[in-house]
Amino acid sequence: MADFGIKRFGGYVPRLRIDRSLIADAHRWMAPNLRGQAKGARAFASWDEDAVTMAVEAGRDCFNGRPSDAIEAVYLASTSLPYADLQHAALVASALDLPTAIASNDAGYSQRAGTSGLLQALKVGEEALFIASDAPVAKPASTQELSYGAGAAAFLLGTGDDVVARLLGAASVTAPFVDHFRAARERYDYFWEERWVRDEGYAKLAPQAIAQALSKAGIAENDLTHFVMPSLQRGAADAVAKKIGFAGKPADGLAECVGYAGTAHALLMLAHVLETATAGDRILLVGFGQGADALVFEVTAAIGNAQPRNGVSGAIANGIATDSYLRMLSFYDGIDLEWGMRSEKVAKTALTEQYRSGSQIDALIAGKCGTCATIQFPRLEYCVNPDCNAPASQFEDYSLVDEPSQVFTYTADWLSFHPAPPLYVGFVQFDNGARILMEVVDVGPDGLEVGTPLKLTYRIKERDRARGFNRYFWKAAPAGVVGA
């Protein structure tokens, strides 16, 4: 176990933000007490983001343009996955263009699924990609609506000299402790009384797991550098840290700028801590939910070579402030708006064609002509260069997802149905010569201009509300202030 651990890490937070005071103001007529908790801003997922799309983005951030060919498994943990019977890890693996000869698995049903899943993946001891991704949904006017956020974190696990965080020891405590629950057919969680959860749950179960983990790691509380424990309850992490004798300050809970990202939050905090950790640091990661997990990592000298593309800090810096609470409510299906007749179009996906073209669509794999090097998407039977026309048998695969690009043309369409009007669509010009008509999302108040740098992002292309099926594809987005 000592030579195995985290080799790379990454994170993702949706770009949309809303100031909590706007949410509180909307409910002031019936819940004026919310104003007291309306500090900072929270992230929220756009209509075309879910746990699958965020997982893909976190995985890309973790790879940082260097996908591993040695991955043997991909794991995905979440409590907000869109399907009850369809493996989401397979969708993520395909979008990341991972080999088909890998294992895959989904985990969920507890806020502890992120840390428990990571621990189990570490125990297996094979190179794997582990992702936790969550966008919990709260009832309007609840305290959770202010506290929740969304996000994902990804970790490449393996062995070798490039391990940046070795697992020193770990332990779990399992107990039928119900702090909250969501019935199978219900939309919102039901929460129990906070003081009881804090005093009987966090304060008793977490220290048990921590004591066992520290014993297995062979270190004491004073040897810890970072204490990472998420909680919806303010002060819960501080109370547990104090109880176990941790002398430092617990890690930033990201409450002021992201919000609580459910199952993903512990790992999102871990990825954030690793961005600034140095060799020799010892990190205690705690997950809570029907018991507790405690994992102790030691940071190695390889940490300087494993920084993510943007990281959690970059995702936070790329936030776009919004000023409409109803917009967030609509994106979370909390309000039934009249969208007009144009919204009644059939959105059924031909699953046969989706599978046959999956190698191109899922990972945006274009064809590069072996004769004239022209790049085209989609791949046609012959090269589109009129002076070439070489057959497709001479094409080679060419991924466009990380290629530099900019706006070539665009329009903002207010007539077509779009869940986040206006619909920005136009030609995306890649530096390699490829040009694709694409939707542009996450357009901030500055709008678009010809030449605006873009990056590609994996999103829901269309929702088939009649059958409950999401069709995923790539879209373009302004590159933002960090990364490209």
Side-chain angles (χ1 to χ4, degrees):
M1 180 179 289
D3 296 323
F4 197 85
I6 296 169
K7 301 176 72 172
R8 295 184 221 163
F9 57 95
Y12 177 77
V13 178
R15 298 184 72 176
L16 301 182
R17 308 280 192 276
I18 187 168
D19 195 293
R20 292 187 174 94
S21 63
L22 295 174
I23 302 175
D25 286 345
H27 300 304
R28 185 172 53 187
W29 63 279
M30 51 79 69
N33 57 309
L34 288 177
R35 186 69 189 179
Q37 302 178 44
K39 298 178 181 177
R42 58 157 290 181
F44 66 99
S46 185
W47 75 270
D48 58 357
E49 293 183 290
D50 63 10
V52 172
T53 66
M54 293 193 299
V56 172
E57 292 302 319
R60 294 177 66 200
D61 193 59
C62 173
F63 287 152
N64 193 9
R66 297 176 295 154
S68 172
D69 296 328
I71 289 179
E72 298 178 81
V74 58
Y75 304 96
L76 176 61
S78 179
T79 61
S80 59
L81 294 169
Y83 300 107
D85 187 353
L86 194 159
Q87 195 190 67
H88 304 80
L91 302 178
V92 173
S94 184
L96 292 173
D97 198 26
L98 299 180
T100 56
I102 61 173
S104 54
N105 191 39
D106 292 349
Y109 302 105
S110 169
Q111 297 298 287
R112 193 157 58 99
T115 52
S116 295
L118 176 62
L119 178 55
Q120 294 307 311
L122 286 164
K123 285 182 176 179
V124 170
E126 61 185 12
E127 182 150 319
L129 178 65
F130 186 88
I131 306 175
S133 177
D134 225 350
V137 179
K139 198 168 190 177
S142 65
T143 57
Q144 290 78 34
E145 189 182 34
L146 295 176
S147 303
Y148 278 172
F155 301 87
L156 178 63
L157 313 179
T159 188
D161 296 337
D162 53 348
V163 168
V164 301
R166 297 187 299 128
L167 182 64
L168 296 182
S172 298
V173 171
T174 297
F177 185 86
V178 184
D179 58 323
H180 78 285
F181 64 90
R182 183 171 74 247
R185 297 184 182 278
E186 294 296 325
R187 178 168 171 76
Y188 304 114
D189 294 342
Y190 180 84
F191 286 82
W192 203 246
E193 197 271 325
E194 287 190 2
R195 187 177 62 178
W196 185 78
V197 173
R198 182 185 63 238
D199 296 346
E200 192 66 23
Y202 283 100
K204 292 184 178 179
L205 296 175
Q208 293 179 41
I210 293 170
Q212 294 179 42
L214 292 176
S215 176
K216 291 180 180 179
I219 65 173
E221 296 82 2
N222 293 335
D223 298 321
L224 293 171
T225 315
H226 304 281
F227 179 89
V228 181
M229 191 185 97
S231 173
L232 262 176
Q233 296 189 11
R234 292 181 179 179
D238 297 275
V240 173
K242 182 178 179 181
K243 185 164 186 175
I244 68 167
F246 177 69
K249 182 180 179 181
D252 182 3
L254 308 176
E256 296 300 314
C257 52
V258 177
Y260 181 73
T263 301
H265 205 71
L267 304 192
L268 196 66
M269 291 173 63
L270 174 62
H272 190 232
V273 166
L274 285 172
E275 290 176 13
T276 56
T278 58
D281 283 1
R282 286 165 172 172
I283 302 171
L284 172 65
L285 173 67
V286 181
F288 179 80
Q290 293 71 66
D293 299 314
L295 294 80
V296 182
F297 294 96
E298 183 177 62
V299 179
T300 76
I303 188 70
N305 300 321
Q307 291 301 305
R309 172 174 294 174
N310 290 330
V312 178
S313 298
I316 291 172
N318 267 332
I320 298 174
T322 64
D323 59 3
S324 173
Y325 167 65
L326 290 180
R327 176 175 171 149
M328 186 187 82
L329 206 58
S330 175
F331 288 178
Y332 279 61
D333 294 327
I335 185 172
D336 187 14
L337 298 173
E338 175 54 63
W339 290 99
M341 295 180 66
R342 288 189 173 91
S343 67
E344 297 171 0
K345 64 179 182 178
V346 176
K348 185 177 181 180
T349 298
L351 300 178
T352 46
E353 178 57 27
Q354 176 178 277
Y355 181 71
R356 288 177 177 139
S357 301
S359 59
Q360 292 188 61
I361 295 174
D362 293 349
L364 199 62
I365 302 297
K368 182 177 182 180
C369 179
T371 300
C372 70
T374 296
I375 297 171
Q376 60 178 276
F377 182 90
R379 300 166 65 138
L380 304 179
E381 292 298 318
Y382 296 93
C383 178
V384 295
N385 181 352
D387 298 324
C388 179
N389 289 326
S393 58
Q394 297 186 20
F395 293 176
E396 62 180 67
D397 291 346
Y398 192 100
S399 174
L400 289 171
V401 297
D402 290 326
E403 290 294 319
S405 61
Q406 56 275 326
V407 174
F408 184 73
T409 63
Y410 76 94
T411 185
D413 184 352
W414 284 91
L415 294 179
S416 300
F417 164 68
H418 191 259
L423 166 63
Y424 284 96
V425 63
F427 278 102
V428 175
Q429 178 67 58
F430 293 84
D431 289 359
N432 58 27
R435 185 181 298 168
I436 305 178
L437 183 67
M438 304 187 80
E439 184 179 340
V440 185
V441 297
D442 291 349
V443 178
D446 296 334
L448 289 178
E449 294 181 359
V450 172
T452 297
L454 300 171
K455 63 179 180 181
L456 299 193
T457 179
Y458 192 70
R459 295 295 178 92
I460 297 170
K461 176 61 179 175
E462 199 161 29
R463 279 183 169 173
D464 180 357
R465 296 184 184 276
R467 282 155 286 270
F469 188 80
N470 295 337
R471 182 155 53 90
Y472 297 95
F473 190 56
W474 295 85
K475 299 179 181 179
V481 297
V482 178

